[in-house]
Amino acid sequence: MQQNSSWVPIFPEQASTFAWQVDGLYFYLLAITAFFTIGIVAALIFLVIKYREKEKYATGAEIHGSIGLETLWSIIPFVISMTVFLGGAIVYYNQYRMPKDAMEIYVVGKQWMWKLQHQTGQREINELHIPVGRKVKLTMTTEDVLHDFFVPAFRTKMDVVPGRYTSLWFEATKPGKYRLFCAEYCGLNHSGMGGWVYVMEQRDFDNWLAGNVSGQTPVEAGRDLFENKLGCASCHQQNSQGRGPTLNGVYGSEQKLTTGQSVVADDEYIRNSILNPTSQIVEGYQPIMPTFKGQVTEEQLVSLVAYIKSLAGNASGTAPAGSSQSGATSTGSGNAGNPSASVPNPANPNGARLPTSQLTNTTIPGASNPNAPGNSSEPTRRDNK
Ligand code: CUA
């Protein structure tokens, strides 16, 4: 079960479905490199000996090139480099296209630990328990700086980036205990930022889940935030009568913005809409939502996203499930949205539920929120959690 039972002694064990592909590609590159290095050195030595100076001041034969030879040494490297490209593309495609039927786990990196949460609510720090033979997708972000989630035995890794979601998936093939590392220098204790991934038989995994305090699931925690703690529900009402759009069925659907652009409402879009509400305004609505930047932690954001995602099923419209290539569509457009800084935001510094009297007003009294408009999608920095 341990690290050194791999077929090459210095290599970590192969414990995921694409480990052999990565190793295959790696050894292919190694073989090509070895072949040419040996070939070139051998040719060098052979030619040096064969054409060494035999008589003083001899003149070399004139050579005028050879079409055949030149074609050959162009085509062979081309074919070889294309096989390398193809191999790399296949491995990349397999690793970074997220499967739809995966078990999802949320990961928040933090100097210097990994915080993980299962969909069933169990939380772990620097440990991840997963069942064998099942696709697992990680949705990851960080509270502070760049980190990188790396499990060598799975031959996969992914940067964890402030201010956005990245994802990573794998399917473990062997029960065991595998190293987890942070693979991006992130400060003083970077080298200590790691732990273990425990791959268990499904039965053992079920036992493990049952034996752990689950607390609120991300969806429950998100609903609590949405309905009570942050008061989102006062504007985003179920019946479309609120001042904000109803969020039923929004996840995964196409949203038309006031700018005329369309975006797919993925994790990244929802996150951005909470932190930079005025940057992407849905057509037909006013840019009146205050920012929640600084009021929600990354873990709470993950819960909110999970909750809004769970509302997708309630809709009549069919929402395409999980557009997992988050970031591609909605980030980057950052501030492309509404520059209407003149519209004041409701004074709502604590994110408390607005009194009903204010809700019915169309003109909102109170100072505009200085944080709201024109903020780029920068990370929310939390120093205390
Ligand atoms: Cu986190 Cu290095």
Side-chain angles (χ1 to χ4, degrees), residues 6 11 38 49 64 122 179 268 271 293 302 316 327 341 364:
S6 112
F11 265 56
I38 293 167
I49 293 169
H64 292 284
Q122 286 82 358
R179 281 254 178 227
E268 196 75 44
R271 183 184 190 284
K293 194 175 272 185
V302 160
S316 47
I364 299 127

Side-chain angles (χ1 to χ4, degrees), residues 27 86 97 102 121 131 134 307 317 342 346 362 369 382:
F27 283 108
L86 207 69
R97 254 180 62 266
R134 198 128 156 239
Y307 172 62
S342 56
T362 29
N369 190 327
R382 307 291 302 179

Side-chain angles (χ1 to χ4, degrees), residues 58 69 107 232-233 325 347 373 385:
L69 204 61
V107 180
C232 318
Q325 295 300 3
K385 179 88 196 252

Side-chain angles (χ1 to χ4, degrees), residues 67-139:
I67 298 282
L69 204 61
E70 284 180 24
T71 314
L72 210 66
W73 75 42
S74 300
I75 287 179
I76 292 177
F78 174 74
V79 169
I80 292 173
S81 54
M82 286 327 271
T83 58
V84 173
F85 165 73
L86 207 69
I90 291 170
V91 170
Y92 186 86
Y93 187 79
N94 286 341
Q95 288 204 1
Y96 293 102
R97 254 180 62 266
M98 296 302 133
K100 300 238 190 280
D101 53 341
M103 174 182 144
E104 207 169 342
I105 290 168
Y106 301 103
V107 180
V108 177
K110 175 183 192 306
Q111 285 169 320
W112 289 277
M113 63 168 89
W114 293 107
K115 299 196 278 187
L116 302 105
Q117 191 177 19
H118 294 257
Q119 272 178 320
T120 38
Q122 286 82 358
R123 290 178 181 279
E124 304 190 65
I125 288 180
N126 292 341
E127 286 189 351
L128 172 62
H129 291 75
I130 51 165
V132 71
R134 198 128 156 239
K135 293 181 181 128
V136 175
K137 179 190 166 194
L138 308 181
T139 299

Side-chain angles (χ1 to χ4, degrees), residues 71-375:
T71 314
L72 210 66
W73 75 42
S74 300
I75 287 179
I76 292 177
F78 174 74
V79 169
I80 292 173
S81 54
M82 286 327 271
T83 58
V84 173
F85 165 73
L86 207 69
I90 291 170
V91 170
Y92 186 86
Y93 187 79
N94 286 341
Q95 288 204 1
Y96 293 102
R97 254 180 62 266
M98 296 302 133
K100 300 238 190 280
D101 53 341
M103 174 182 144
E104 207 169 342
I105 290 168
Y106 301 103
V107 180
V108 177
K110 175 183 192 306
Q111 285 169 320
W112 289 277
M113 63 168 89
W114 293 107
K115 299 196 278 187
L116 302 105
Q117 191 177 19
H118 294 257
Q119 272 178 320
T120 38
Q122 286 82 358
R123 290 178 181 279
E124 304 190 65
I125 288 180
N126 292 341
E127 286 189 351
L128 172 62
H129 291 75
I130 51 165
V132 71
R134 198 128 156 239
K135 293 181 181 128
V136 175
K137 179 190 166 194
L138 308 181
T139 299
M140 310 188 290
T141 189
T142 155
E143 285 182 24
D144 35 53
V145 298
L146 265 180
H147 302 280
D148 188 297
F149 195 97
F150 181 31
V151 184
F154 296 167
R155 303 293 191 279
T156 190
K157 53 150 82 166
M158 187 67 205
D159 272 4
V160 179
V161 185
R164 65 145 76 187
Y165 292 120
T166 54
S167 27
L168 178 70
W169 84 275
F170 44 77
E171 180 181 332
T173 51
K174 270 193 278 189
K177 181 183 173 192
Y178 307 103
R179 281 254 178 227
L180 156 67
F181 291 110
C182 174
E184 183 72 54
Y185 181 69
C186 57
L188 190 63
N189 290 328
H190 155 73
S191 61
M193 183 172 169
W196 297 94
V197 176
Y198 295 88
V199 178
M200 312 164 99
E201 296 291 354
Q202 184 69 48
R203 192 168 9 95
D204 299 336
F205 179 72
D206 292 339
N207 284 341
W208 179 84
L209 271 188
N212 272 272
V213 192
S214 60
Q216 279 181 315
T217 66
V219 172
E220 285 164 2
R223 179 186 297 124
D224 193 23
L225 287 164
F226 192 87
E227 290 176 353
N228 307 315
K229 296 195 178 119
L230 299 175
C232 318
S234 60
C235 289
H236 296 286
Q237 293 170 6
Q238 301 270 345
N239 54 13
S240 313
Q241 300 299 306
R243 287 192 315 203
T246 175
L247 299 181
N248 287 354
V250 159
Y251 187 86
S253 70
E254 190 127 311
Q255 297 293 307
K256 204 144 195 296
L257 304 181
T258 45
T259 54
Q261 291 173 304
S262 286
V263 291
V264 173
D266 57 7
D267 297 17
E268 196 75 44
Y269 167 83
I270 291 166
R271 183 184 190 284
N272 186 48
S273 297
I274 297 168
L275 298 179
N276 305 296
T278 50
S279 71
Q280 292 171 310
I281 300 291
V282 173
E283 206 175 53
Y285 290 90
Q286 293 297 312
I288 54 172
M289 176 172 159
T291 176
F292 285 85
K293 194 175 272 185
Q295 299 173 36
V296 279
T297 63
E298 289 296 341
E299 281 165 282
Q300 289 176 320
L301 280 166
V302 160
S303 301
L304 283 166
V305 170
Y307 172 62
I308 290 165
K309 205 166 171 177
S310 76
L311 297 175
N314 300 351
S316 47
T318 44
S323 63
S324 45
Q325 295 300 3
S326 56
T329 44
S330 54
T331 46
S333 58
N335 272 335
N338 217 304
S340 50
S342 56
V343 179
N345 287 282
N348 189 13
N350 303 320
R353 192 190 276 272
L354 289 167
T356 350
S357 61
Q358 276 193 23
L359 286 173
T360 45
N361 277 343
T362 29
T363 50
I364 299 127
S368 64
N369 190 327
N371 294 328
N375 268 329

